[in-house]
Amino acid sequence: MHFKWNYEPPTSERTAAAKELAEKIGMSPILADLLIQRGIKTESAAKRFFRPMLNELIDPFLMNDMDVAVDRLNDAMGRKERIMVYGDYDVDGCTAVALVYKFLQQFYSNIEYYIPDRYDEGYGISKKGLDFAAEHDVKLIIVLDCGIKAVEEIKYAQQLGIDFIICDHHVPDEEMPEAVAILNPKREDSTYPFKHLCGCGVGFKFMQAFAKNNGIPFSRLIPLLEFCAVSIAADIVSMTGENRILAYHGLKQLNQNPSVGLKAIIEICGLTGRELTMTDIVFKIGPRINASGRMQNGTEAVDLLVEKDFKRALAEATHINEYNEQRKDVDKQMTEEANQIIEKLESQKHHNSIVLYDENWKKGVVGIVASRMTELYFRPTVVLTRSGDLATGSARSVAGYDIYDAVKSCRDILENFGGHTYAVGLSLRIENIPEFRRRFQQYVTEHILPEQTEATLDIEEVIDFREITKKLHNDLKKFAPHGPDNPKPLFCTRNVYDYGTSKVVGRQQEHVKLELVDSKSSNVMNGIAFGQSQAARYIKSKRSFDIVYTIEENIYKRSEVQLQIEDIKPSEVEE
């Protein structure tokens, strides 16, 4: 992929501000400048950023309906009513259900959980799920990571004598369901100061309020923060504000004392003994939790997350890992087929968006394929398959473009849709696909900016190898956890050369392992460039080139710094 490199050299004012901040916090001006680019300009703000404190979490009762939700939960417990914790089948939904169920189960036994079957019931609250609840004499359902659009389903639940507390983070419609309480920071009338919680985060705030109301010490909630870290990473929500606090302490919990279920997943992933990062969750832990709902039923993932016996958890994690292997095979095949369709459809190449349909694709994997297409072609993408009489699927977006608005513009020809800025689920009649494709593409064309359809790398600092010290790397670690709005800093070094020992590696000789020197120091830097073997010939030609990279720890040699190189360009090429 050809990347456009974006770099704005610092102004003299920014350089002066970085130097002043660096002296106050005892860090390199390079890192002080990274803080300033993140809007952190004072010593106190820097301290809060580097040491997120749990006592800085927002008062949960600032969320609309929180007092009503806590009162209804207290009433249910007081009256010994049957409670069901109901959630979506993805990572966010499964971790949210595990969090709420595990916490409440410590104080109340008349409680169960339910994850709808993706293939049999579809997304959100299902009539089948409600009938199951009624048969089991459930009087209160706490629904997590879905439910904000379930107007008709909740009317049906009322007829069955079932009350609902909705904990969701997806964008609501004008009409909201008639639930007892709706906890959602994206409500139009929301008074909650932080809008970017994931579904699990909303569930945590509910439990925080319940604990506060009932005099339960906050320390009882801390073990559950691991679920927040997993869901924040997997759901790709903003890594700022309250999410940063939850993720920071959740990651700490995951590293120091993970629950039995997550410990089993960590072992299956081969991550035991390593310091886990958000990247490990995104690429290793999250996909395995997700695989259960994609290939079979998400209930198995929750069973694992709440398991108390490690031997049983390991067996369950092994089973879920098999689902993940199956998912990889299906994903690979569907991605190849999607690419073939795009190659055949010349029009898809030139449009600002991609809409694909194949009735044989697996419903649980269309979201992954949509993400792959977005990464490959840098276009907002919708991937659809057949589900009964309807086409159902997922939309994924590129950085900075709100795909929810694009899908919403076609709502009159959709049966259902829901989601947020970067990810949307939708269903429509099969005969409406051509019209949806036309209108979706037209809307995207009219609203997307040219730079949003380019693969870009936003360089934060241009540095020399002599500036990459052990202290810089140790201080850089304090910027974690990373995610949207707090990405891993991208550095650029110009005029570097092969030390003479760089080589192509990998099963298919697709990567380059580099040893580099630059023109201003004698430091030899190790680096890895994944999937960039096409640059090997130029690298070995003894000519200079520029690199963009992140600074990482070599997992095989803990004391050694390694550059993860994102892109390589000949030095004479100017952007």
Side-chain angles (χ1 to χ4, degrees):
M1 181 183 286
H2 176 71
F3 287 100
K4 182 183 179 188
W5 295 9
N6 290 336
Y7 175 62
E8 280 188 32
T11 60
S12 55
E13 291 85 357
R14 199 175 97 193
T15 301
K19 191 176 178 218
E20 187 183 335
L21 182 59
E23 286 168 5
K24 286 178 181 171
I25 62 174
M27 274 190 177
S28 141
I30 293 166
L31 300 185
D33 188 51
L34 290 175
L35 288 172
I36 286 167
Q37 290 183 69
R38 282 157 177 72
I40 299 158
K41 298 176 181 176
T42 65
E43 185 180 359
S44 60
K47 281 180 180 170
R48 281 200 308 277
F49 178 77
F50 289 132
R51 287 192 288 279
M53 305 293 280
L54 286 168
N55 62 13
E56 290 180 347
L57 287 172
I58 299 163
D59 179 356
F61 285 100
L62 291 177
M63 196 176 288
N64 304 51
D65 285 0
M66 186 62 84
D67 51 346
V68 182
V70 171
D71 286 347
R72 181 65 187 90
L73 179 54
N74 283 335
D75 287 347
M77 288 178 157
R79 295 199 289 254
K80 304 278 193 293
E81 290 177 349
R82 185 90 178 136
I83 298 171
M84 176 185 277
V85 186
Y86 187 117
D88 187 24
Y89 37 62
D90 69 358
V91 177
D92 193 14
C94 289
T95 51
V97 167
L99 185 152
V100 171
Y101 176 79
K102 269 187 97 166
F103 188 66
L104 292 180
Q105 199 195 27
Q106 298 172 75
F107 314 103
Y108 190 69
S109 60
N110 196 13
I111 185 168
E112 65 182 299
Y113 54 85
Y114 187 93
I115 304 289
D117 185 288
R118 185 191 291 261
Y119 296 95
D120 186 32
E121 297 167 76
Y123 172 78
I125 299 163
S126 71
K127 188 171 179 293
K128 182 178 176 180
L130 294 174
D131 289 339
F132 177 88
E135 285 163 19
H136 288 75
D137 201 31
V138 169
K139 296 299 177 192
L140 175 65
I141 294 179
I142 300 167
V143 62
L144 296 139
D145 193 35
C146 57
I148 197 63
K149 292 195 170 188
V151 175
E152 294 307 315
E153 290 82 0
I154 286 175
K155 278 180 186 168
Y156 179 67
Q158 287 173 335
Q159 293 167 20
L160 299 172
I162 299 170
D163 281 345
F164 260 88
I165 295 169
I166 296 173
C167 305
D168 204 352
H169 71 123
H170 295 100
V171 180
D173 259 345
E174 288 75 13
E175 182 187 4
M176 291 200 296
E178 292 176 13
V180 170
I182 296 176
L183 309 177
N184 188 331
K186 290 196 180 85
R187 284 173 60 154
E188 275 208 3
D189 60 346
S190 176
T191 52
Y192 196 70
F194 187 70
K195 308 294 180 198
H196 307 294
L197 291 169
C198 57
C200 188
V202 178
F204 179 83
K205 297 308 293 185
F206 184 22
M207 292 303 95
Q208 185 189 357
F210 171 79
K212 191 175 180 181
N213 180 263
N214 287 281
I216 300 164
F218 184 84
S219 57
R220 299 284 292 271
L221 287 159
I222 290 174
L224 303 169
L225 288 168
E226 61 179 10
F227 295 129
C228 292
V230 171
S231 64
I232 287 166
D235 223 50
I236 316 179
V237 289
S238 176
M239 194 60 73
T240 57
E242 198 160 37
N243 280 343
R244 181 169 172 82
I245 301 171
L246 294 170
Y248 178 90
H249 288 279
L251 208 50
K252 201 170 167 183
Q253 180 69 27
L254 202 56
N255 275 297
Q256 291 175 359
N257 190 22
S259 62
V260 166
L262 281 167
K263 189 178 178 184
I265 297 174
I266 290 164
E267 185 156 318
I268 288 295
C269 293
L271 296 171
T272 305
R274 267 180 51 185
E275 186 179 348
L276 300 170
T277 65
M278 297 308 257
T279 304
D280 293 319
I281 296 172
V282 171
F283 292 105
K284 300 282 181 77
I285 297 169
R288 283 165 173 82
I289 296 171
N290 242 339
S292 177
R294 290 191 188 284
M295 305 307 290
Q296 285 294 326
N297 189 294
T299 303
E300 292 182 55
V302 182
D303 292 344
L304 170 57
L305 293 174
V306 302
E307 182 56 68
K308 293 174 183 172
D309 179 83
F310 185 68
K311 196 175 175 184
R312 277 204 298 269
L314 209 52
E316 289 168 355
T318 304
H319 192 48
I320 277 175
N321 194 53
E322 288 166 9
Y323 287 148
N324 194 49
E325 293 304 313
Q326 292 168 26
R327 188 271 307 164
K328 282 183 191 172
D329 292 340
V330 174
D331 165 12
K332 188 180 176 191
Q333 183 188 337
M334 283 170 58
T335 300
E336 285 170 3
E337 289 171 4
N339 272 321
Q340 286 166 12
I341 293 171
I342 291 170
E343 288 303 313
K344 285 176 191 166
L345 293 172
E346 281 296 317
S347 61
Q348 295 278 10
K349 292 181 192 173
H350 306 297
H351 276 129
N352 286 320
S353 65
I354 294 169
V355 179
L356 301 175
Y357 169 72
D358 187 306
E359 64 176 17
N360 297 313
W361 282 341
K362 195 167 179 68
K363 188 178 169 185
V365 186
V366 290
I368 297 177
V369 176
S371 295
R372 297 251 190 278
M373 296 297 104
T374 303
E375 289 162 13
L376 273 170
Y377 297 99
F378 230 72
R379 303 284 185 271
T381 300
V382 181
V383 177
L384 300 162
T385 188
R386 189 181 186 117
S387 179
D389 296 329
L390 297 175
T392 185
S394 294
R396 295 290 184 270
S397 196
V398 292
Y401 183 73
D402 190 336
I403 203 166
Y404 183 86
D405 282 347
V407 173
K408 189 179 178 183
S409 72
C410 307
R411 66 181 306 161
D412 57 303
I413 55 168
L414 299 177
E415 296 298 304
N416 210 344
F417 75 101
H420 43 79
T421 305
Y422 294 123
V424 177
L426 66 153
S427 61
L428 66 159
R429 294 188 181 281
I430 291 163
E431 61 267 25
N432 285 338
I433 293 172
E435 179 63 6
F436 171 77
R437 180 183 282 120
R438 185 190 68 78
R439 282 171 50 180
F440 178 79
Q441 290 179 337
Q442 184 180 337
Y443 185 93
V444 172
T445 299
E446 289 170 0
H447 292 86
I448 202 162
L449 301 171
E451 58 266 29
Q452 290 172 333
T453 60
E454 292 180 300
T456 57
L457 293 174
D458 294 320
I459 298 161
E460 293 193 66
E461 303 290 335
V462 174
I463 62 173
D464 303 326
F465 285 169
R466 63 189 168 186
E467 293 170 298
I468 303 174
T469 62
K470 190 66 185 164
K471 178 171 172 25
L472 180 110
H473 179 242
N474 286 336
D475 287 343
L476 200 53
K477 283 195 222 172
K478 297 173 187 173
F479 281 73
H482 296 293
D485 305 319
N486 181 37
K488 274 190 181 178
L490 276 178
F491 297 92
C492 174
T493 301
R494 303 197 188 278
N495 296 307
V496 304
Y497 298 85
D498 174 28
Y499 186 60
T501 46
S502 298
K503 59 184 177 183
V504 175
V505 295
R507 197 175 294 170
Q508 296 174 312
Q509 300 284 284
E510 67 270 44
H511 315 307
V512 189
K513 193 173 187 311
L514 301 122
E515 288 191 328
L516 303 172
V517 289
D518 70 356
S519 55
K520 296 187 179 174
S521 71
S522 57
N523 291 9
V524 179
M525 293 301 306
N526 290 315
I528 183 77
F530 293 113
Q532 295 182 62
S533 57
Q534 75 282 355
R537 185 175 290 179
Y538 189 90
I539 291 165
K540 301 299 283 183
S541 71
K542 306 288 185 194
R543 287 177 287 175
S544 71
F545 49 95
D546 303 341
I547 54 172
V548 176
Y549 55 90
T550 58
I551 299 172
E552 309 286 348
E553 188 168 67
N554 187 328
I555 59 168
Y556 303 107
K557 297 178 185 173
R558 285 292 171 84
S559 59
E560 198 177 278
V561 170
Q562 179 173 271
L563 311 183
Q564 184 165 313
I565 295 164
E566 302 296 324
D567 202 17
I568 297 165
K569 285 187 180 176
S571 293
E572 61 264 29
V573 175
E574 294 293 327
E575 270 299 317

